[in-house]
Amino acid sequence: MVRSVFRPHIHRYVGHRIVGSSPLSSEWNKNVVPLKTTTTSLKRSIHQIGCNSLILPRQYLGSPAFPPGRSAGAFNYSMLRHFSQPAHGVKPSSNGYNTSDLSKQLQACQNARDLSMFLRTNGRLFYGRQEFELLAQSIKVMSKTTRMTPAQVAGLMNALSRISTVAKSQQRQALLDLSHIAQPILKNCQVKELCIILNSLARKSVRNDKVFHPASQMLVVSSRKMNPQDLAIVANAFARVQHYSPKLFEVIAMQAISQIQDFSPQGLANLVNAFAKQNHRNAKLFEAVANESERRLVLLQPDTFTPQGLANITNAFGKMNHSSPKLFAAIAKAAVPCIQEFNPQNLSNMANAFARMNHDGDHQELFEALSGAALDKLSSFNAQELANLANAMVKMGHPADSMRLLPEIARAAMPLLSTFKAQELAMLTNALTKQTIELPDDMQKFWEAFAAAIIPLLPEFQPQELCIIANAFSKAPSSNGSYKMKVFDKIAAAALNLLLDENQQFQPQNLSNLANALAKVYLPAEDLFQVLMERAIPLLPQMSPQELGNLVSAVAKLRIEGPMVDRLFAETAVLLRDCNLASWEQRNLVEVAYAFLKAFQTDSMVLEKIGSELSSRQSLELDAVGLGHLAAVMSRTRIEASSELLKSIFASFENIPEDAIQISSVADVCKALPLAYEELGSSVLSDDGFLELMVEYSIRKSHDASPADVRDLLLNLTSPRLDYHHEDASSSIVELQRSLLIAYQPIFDQYSDQIATKHVKTIRRVYKRLHLAA
C-alpha cells in the first residue's frame, strides 16, 4: 500500500484502484487502468477524470511501459509535483527499489530534462547515501556525454537542490560540479534561468564566485526584466552564500521600489532579510517595504504574513537599525493572535528585533504573549535562540515576564552549555545578571555549571565577549564564592594575554567594564592592571563619564599603586579641567571625586570644578552611597562650595528611607560633621536633630559595621571639634556620645586589632574622658 495526500482530498492506492473521498474516485474506478497500461491510455484516463494530482503505484514506475523518458511527455509537471514528498508513514528508504532497479531508471533518462523530471517526481528515492551516489554518478556521466542548454542546467540544478538526503556533502559537490558546467554558458542564460541557478546553489549554501560574479554583472544590465519574485530570489541567493555585490543590490533596491506593490508578503520579508544579511543599507527601500507592509497589515489582511515573514521583517529592520515605529506596532498587533504558531527561531528573532529597536511603547501585550509561547517551547530552543531571547527580555524591561522566563531559560540552557559559542555565553550571562530579579535557589547549580563550561572557552573569547563575561560574573549570586574566584583567576589570565597582544582591539567600554568587574570581586591582579591602564590612558578622551568613573574607581578601590596610577589620575585631571561637566550625571561626578580621594591623589582644581558643578544643580539626586562619598570628599578638602554642598548632603540624607541606608554611608557622612560644625555652626547639626539621627542610625546598624566604619563613627561622632558652647547643647551631645560609645564598646574591643594604633589610642581617650571603660 502507498499512501499520499491529494489536494484537496485524501486518496490511497490499493493495488491499482484509487479509494478516497473525492467524487473523482468513482470515475477512476469505472475506468480501471490495467497494471500494464500504455502511457497513452494512462494519459487519456487522467484527462477524462480531470485529476491534477496523482501518485502512481510503484509497479508503473518499474514497468517498461512507463520509463522516465516517456513519463515526461505523458504528464504535465502540475500532475506530478507532489511525488517528491515521502508518503505519510513511509520512510524515504521504504521505496521497494534496489540499487540495480534505480540505476536502470537513471540510465533511461536520455538527457538533463528527463533527469530533472525524474528527480522532481521521485526525489524521495535518493534519501540514502548509496542511492544518492548513484544519482551523482549519473549526473557526472551525463555532463560528459551530453551537451546541456542553460534551461537544462538550471532545471537539473533546481531539481537536485530540492532533494532531501542525508548525503549533504555529495549533494553540494554535485551542485558545484553543475555550476562549473554553467560557467561558460551563463552569457546565454535568460534572467529566469540565472535566478534558478543562483537560487539552487544558495539553497544548499554552495558558493561559486565564478558563477555569482558574472551573474551579478549580467543582472545589473538586465535588471528591468526582473519581476518581484526574481528580485527577492536573487537578493536572498547572494545573501545566503555571502557574495556581496553592492552595485547589484543598489539596482535590486531601485527595481524593487518601483514594483513594491507587486511583491508577495514572503517576497517583502525575504528582500529586506537579504539586505540585512549583507548589511547593505538602503533607507529608501526599507521605507518602501515598511510602508507597504504596514498598509497590508493595517488596511488589508494581517494573516497574509506568515509567522516566518513577520519575524524576518522585524529581524531585518532590527539588524539594520532602521526605525519604523508604525510598522513595528502593526506587526506586534498582527503577531499576538498567531504567536503560538511561531517556532523558536521566529520567537527569538521577533523578541530580539523589538528589543534592539526599542520604539516608544513597550509592546506589553506582545511580550506577554511571546513569553508565554516561549515557555511552552523552550525545550526546542537552541543555544543562539536562548541567548537572544534572554537578552531581548532584559532589554525590553518587563520585570514580570523576565522573572517568569529567565529562570526557565537558564534551566533550558544547562544541558546545552557545551553547544554555546563565546558570544552566546556572554549574552546569556549578561542577561541573567543584568535584570534585577531573584533567581531560584537551584540557579546556584546553573552558575557553577556555567563557570565550568566557560573556563575552557576563555582563551577563544574576543575582548568584548571576555569583558561582558567578567562583568556578568561579578554580579552573579554566590553562596559559595569558590567557583566565582576560579572563573576570575582564568578571566584575569585570558585578559592579560589579550591586552599584551597589540593586534587585539579594546574599546574604552571593554577596559572600563573589565576593571570594574575585577574591583567588584576584589581581585587586584597588579600585572593586569598595569597593562590595562597603559591601554586605557590614550583612550581616556573617548570614554563616557560612567566609563571613566568606573575605571578610576576600580583602581582606587583595589589600592593599585605605582607610576602608572599617578599617570592615570594626572591625565584624568587634565581631561576634567578642560571638559564641560554640565552633561555629567551627579553620580559620575561624585564617583570620580571619591576615586581621587581613595587613591590619595589630591588635585584641588578638579575638586573645585566638580564641587562648583554640583552646587549649581537645583538639588542633589544621589542615593545614600553617593551622598556618603560626597561627604567623605568634602571632609578632606575645603573648597568654595563646601558650605552649600554640606547643607544639601545633610538635607538629602535625612529624606532617604532608613532601609536604603548602609552603615558605611552613615560613617562616610559622619566624616563631614566636624567640618560642617566649623563651616555652618552648631545650629545646622543640633536644631534639626541631624546629629541625633546619625547616632541612632549608627547604633541600630552596628551589627553590620566593618572595622573602618567603627573607626570613622567613633572618631567623628565624638570629635572634640563638636564642641557646643551652649550648656544645653553640650549636655545633649555628651549623652549622645555616651550612648554611642556604650553600644560600640564590644564591637570596638573586637576590631581594635584591625584599626591603626593611633586611632585606637584616640578612641580610648574618648572613653576615658567620658568615664567609660574601653
Side-chain angles (χ1 to χ4, degrees), residues 166-185:
V166 296
K168 298 187 184 301
S169 60
Q170 293 95 321
Q171 186 180 29
R172 286 193 290 270
Q173 185 60 50
L175 283 167
L176 184 61
D177 293 342
L178 284 173
S179 73
H180 292 152
I181 296 174
Q183 284 173 212
I185 60 175

Side-chain angles (χ1 to χ4, degrees), residues 305-579:
F305 282 89
T306 63
Q308 178 77 40
L310 292 172
N312 281 351
I313 287 182
T314 53
N315 190 45
F317 276 73
K319 279 184 178 179
M320 301 305 290
N321 199 28
H322 187 98
S323 179
S324 183
K326 291 182 179 180
L327 172 62
F328 272 63
I331 289 175
K333 186 176 181 180
V336 170
C338 61
I339 200 71
Q340 292 296 335
E341 299 175 26
F342 281 58
N343 64 28
Q345 185 180 23
N346 299 154
L347 292 168
S348 173
N349 287 347
M350 177 78 78
N352 196 40
F354 271 83
R356 184 178 295 180
M357 297 310 297
N358 196 21
H359 289 126
D360 293 337
D362 57 3
H363 302 293
Q364 180 69 39
E365 185 180 2
L366 171 65
F367 270 79
E368 285 180 0
L370 194 149
S371 61
L375 274 174
D376 297 335
K377 301 175 182 178
L378 278 181
S379 60
S380 301
F381 277 64
N382 62 28
Q384 182 181 10
E385 291 158 357
L386 288 171
N388 283 343
L389 181 62
N391 187 54
M393 295 305 297
V394 171
K395 278 187 176 181
M396 287 303 293
H398 294 294
D401 296 327
S402 296
M403 289 182 68
R404 179 175 56 157
L405 192 57
L406 286 177
E408 298 304 321
I409 289 176
R411 292 190 181 98
M414 285 186 68
L416 302 177
L417 287 176
S418 61
T419 68
F420 275 74
K421 296 178 182 177
Q423 185 180 15
E424 294 159 359
L425 285 170
M427 288 173 62
L428 184 56
T429 50
N430 187 51
L432 292 174
T433 55
K434 201 168 187 178
Q435 184 74 9
T436 308
I437 62 172
E438 291 292 333
L439 291 175
D441 293 338
D442 65 341
M443 286 299 97
Q444 177 72 26
K445 296 179 181 178
F446 164 77
W447 285 108
E448 292 175 3
F450 221 7
I454 283 174
I455 287 174
L457 296 176
L458 287 175
E460 303 174 15
F461 278 45
Q462 296 300 308
Q464 181 176 0
E465 297 160 353
L466 185 66
C467 294
I468 289 175
I469 286 288
N471 188 50
F473 265 91
S474 70
K475 297 181 285 187
S478 176
S479 58
N480 175 9
S482 60
Y483 86 89
K484 184 183 280 192
M485 293 313 299
K486 186 177 180 180
V487 170
F488 267 93
D489 287 338
K490 300 296 183 180
I491 287 174
L496 181 58
N497 290 334
L498 288 174
L499 287 166
L500 290 172
D501 185 351
E502 295 181 357
N503 295 322
Q504 294 291 344
Q505 297 297 318
F506 278 80
Q507 298 300 318
Q509 184 181 15
N510 303 150
L511 297 169
S512 172
N513 285 347
L514 179 60
N516 190 46
L518 294 171
K520 284 181 179 178
V521 296
Y522 295 98
L523 185 63
E526 288 275 355
D527 294 342
L528 170 62
F529 266 90
Q530 296 299 326
V531 182
L532 188 151
M533 287 187 287
E534 187 176 1
R535 281 284 197 115
I537 288 171
L539 301 177
L540 290 180
Q542 301 175 32
M543 288 190 177
S544 68
Q546 182 177 353
E547 292 163 357
L548 181 60
N550 286 346
L551 175 63
V552 294
S553 290
V555 172
K557 185 176 183 179
L558 293 174
R559 304 291 187 183
I560 307 295
E561 298 179 348
M564 196 61 68
V565 175
D566 296 335
R567 184 181 163 196
L568 172 66
F569 278 90
E571 294 292 336
T572 302
V574 171
L575 181 66
L576 292 172
R577 287 196 293 265
D578 295 340
C579 75

Side-chain angles (χ1 to χ4, degrees), residues 581-698:
L581 301 181
S583 62
W584 282 46
E585 294 185 18
Q586 294 183 24
R587 60 187 179 87
N588 299 138
L589 291 168
V590 173
E591 188 175 25
V592 171
Y594 189 67
F596 271 82
L597 171 69
K598 297 293 285 185
F600 302 102
Q601 300 285 334
T602 303
D603 192 302
S604 57
M605 291 181 64
V606 168
L607 293 180
E608 283 285 356
K609 187 169 183 179
I610 290 176
S612 175
E613 180 60 40
L614 286 170
S615 64
S616 69
R617 309 288 174 94
Q618 291 184 350
S619 61
L620 289 180
E621 298 174 355
L622 298 168
D623 60 10
V625 174
L627 291 170
H629 287 176
L630 181 57
V633 172
M634 294 296 100
S635 70
R636 289 291 185 90
T637 306
R638 185 182 277 106
I639 61 176
E640 187 176 342
S642 290
S643 299
E644 189 172 347
L645 285 175
L646 287 171
K647 286 182 182 178
S648 298
I649 290 170
F650 297 154
S652 299
F653 202 83
E654 284 183 302
N655 293 326
I656 295 178
E658 183 177 353
D659 58 1
I661 298 174
Q662 302 294 324
I663 186 64
S664 58
S665 298
V666 178
D668 281 338
V669 170
C670 288
K671 291 177 184 178
L673 292 178
L675 177 63
Y677 172 77
E678 294 176 6
E679 289 282 333
L680 306 172
S682 61
S683 60
V684 72
L685 301 178
S686 59
D687 291 352
D688 58 2
F690 185 76
L691 187 62
E692 183 178 359
L693 180 65
M694 292 297 98
V695 172
E696 290 176 359
Y697 281 170
S698 301

